[in-house]
Amino acid sequence: MFNNIPPITRNIIIINIIVFIISYFMPQLDYFLSAFYPFSPNFKTWQIITHMFMHGSIMHILFNMLTLYSFGPILEQSLGEKKYLILYFISGIGAFVLFNLWNFYEVQQISTQLANANINVSEIYAKSNLSQFNFNPAPYLNNEEALNLYYTLTSPMVGASGAIFGVIAAFGTLYPDSKIMIMFIPVPVKVKYILPVILVVSVFLGISGNVGGIAHFAHVGGALVGFLLAWIWKKHLYRFN
């Protein structure tokens, strides 16, 4: 099976599986490799890349890798290995950036409310340092804003979903009339109709809050980068290699 997958897609899938297995037996890796809010004391610069190889559950990694397996090979062959690799990682970085720009906006709103209530925001930042303190939201259970800030500082972003959404968006940009099957829809639907709906829903859910622990703005960020890169490269489609 793996021998029939182009090398970049194949290696990304293999690395994700290996990291998932290792992190399952070494859960402390979550602290080092998952991506925390950039102003959290738990953030490290390498997490911008490493979070793309971390997943929260078997279903999470299974969905992402099956999606990559479905769309990645076609893009890798049409774009070429170099541009495909750029697409994948820049989309993942774009997901990280947009997700945390929204986080920054929310943190500023929360911090202002806490400061007006004479609550020490710096203390919450200090207590959120997981290298010095165990995860303990108990002191903030009676204050929703303080609790939300604590969770933002201690809850990392994980998964290849941003990069995967970049791949899907690029596929939809280059092959808009391709038809795919969607769960609960009995007939094939063109990608150019599905992608805008997914993005609108993701923006709505992102503004509503990270429903179900899903980083919806990360999906939007990855998709926007994937679309822009594919749009720029599209006119050179037959000269990529």
Side-chain angles (χ1 to χ4, degrees), residues 28 33 66 91 95 99 129 151 161 163 168 187 194 205 212 221 233:
Q28 62 269 31
L33 302 183
L66 284 176
S91 294
F99 176 69
N129 190 334
Y151 277 138
S161 300
I168 296 172
V187 295
I194 297 172
L205 293 176
W233 293 336

Side-chain angles (χ1 to χ4, degrees), residues 193-208:
Y193 299 134
I194 297 172
L195 193 56
V197 173
I198 293 175
L199 290 179
V200 170
V201 171
S202 293
V203 170
F204 172 77
L205 293 176
I207 293 174
S208 301

